[in-house]
Amino acid sequence: MATNRTFTMLKPDAVEKGHIGAILEKISASGFRIVAMKLTQMTKEDAQTFYGIHKERPFFGELVEYMTRGPIVAAILEKDNAVEDFRTLIGATNPADAADGTIRKMYAASLGENAIHGSDSDENAAIEGAFHFSGREMF
Ligand code: IDP
Ligand code: MG
């Protein structure tokens, strides 16, 4: 059964460019309720753990540098079929391949700096949400 929660990060490039408001507006207008949210900055260790699945990939060092260079907005979102619907809303990993109207098409610069994260499964949504938030920060 589809879960009703997913996890997102507005990545450092999106925050640097002043797109927090516009992206949150689009997320809300698409029917997602914000369950938890904060402006925070990941340490190198945080990013290495969060993206541990990619540690053997050639871009891992670049990814950790990027994700730690400035603040992010981390959030847990609620909606029916949240994981799948949010991946559709953000679009393909490479903005060059992302559909028109998706967040990555609108706000991402490149495959490496692609503006936003969305969990890829119910299991990872739960793991990633718990990585950033404690139970009493969720509403
Ligand atoms: P996803 O974020 O769409 O799930 P993943 O393949 O899980 O995509 O990759 C995680 C993140 O790593 C991407 O969002 C992007 O920021 C970065 N990334 C993925 N592939 C590359 C690459 O080939 N070069 C540089 N960065 C990459
Ligand atoms: Mg992924």
Side-chain angles (χ1 to χ4, degrees):
M1 202 180 86
T3 186
N4 64 346
R5 287 189 176 183
T6 191
F7 171 78
T8 188
M9 296 183 288
L10 311 194
K11 296 181 178 182
D13 57 319
V15 175
E16 285 160 10
K17 292 172 183 166
H19 293 322
I20 294 175
I23 294 173
L24 291 179
E25 171 61 28
K26 189 160 172 69
I27 290 170
S28 294
S30 300
F32 292 86
R33 185 176 81 85
I34 297 167
V35 175
M37 184 167 70
K38 65 184 165 191
L39 186 71
T40 186
Q41 186 160 354
M42 296 174 94
T43 65
K44 293 249 148 73
E45 193 184 353
D46 289 336
Q48 285 164 351
T49 303
F50 188 92
Y51 283 110
I53 193 162
H54 295 308
K55 66 175 181 294
E56 307 301 336
R57 308 285 286 276
F59 60 82
F60 186 65
E62 180 189 331
L63 176 60
V64 170
E65 279 297 314
Y66 160 54
M67 288 303 299
T68 58
R69 77 174 187 223
I72 62 162
V73 174
I76 296 173
L77 304 172
E78 195 168 76
K79 181 185 180 295
D80 288 349
N81 201 35
V83 166
E84 188 184 348
D85 287 1
F86 196 72
R87 293 285 294 198
T88 300
L89 179 64
I90 70 177
T93 306
N94 187 341
D97 302 329
D100 283 345
T102 61
I103 292 173
R104 282 169 167 167
K105 183 72 169 191
M106 294 169 76
Y107 298 109
S110 66
L111 171 59
E113 303 207 359
N114 61 1
I116 190 163
H117 170 82
S119 303
D120 63 5
S121 66
D122 295 352
E123 186 191 6
N124 284 335
I127 291 168
E128 293 170 1
F131 184 88
H132 282 274
F133 295 100
S134 67
R136 82 182 109 78
E137 296 174 292
M138 292 182 212
F139 302 92

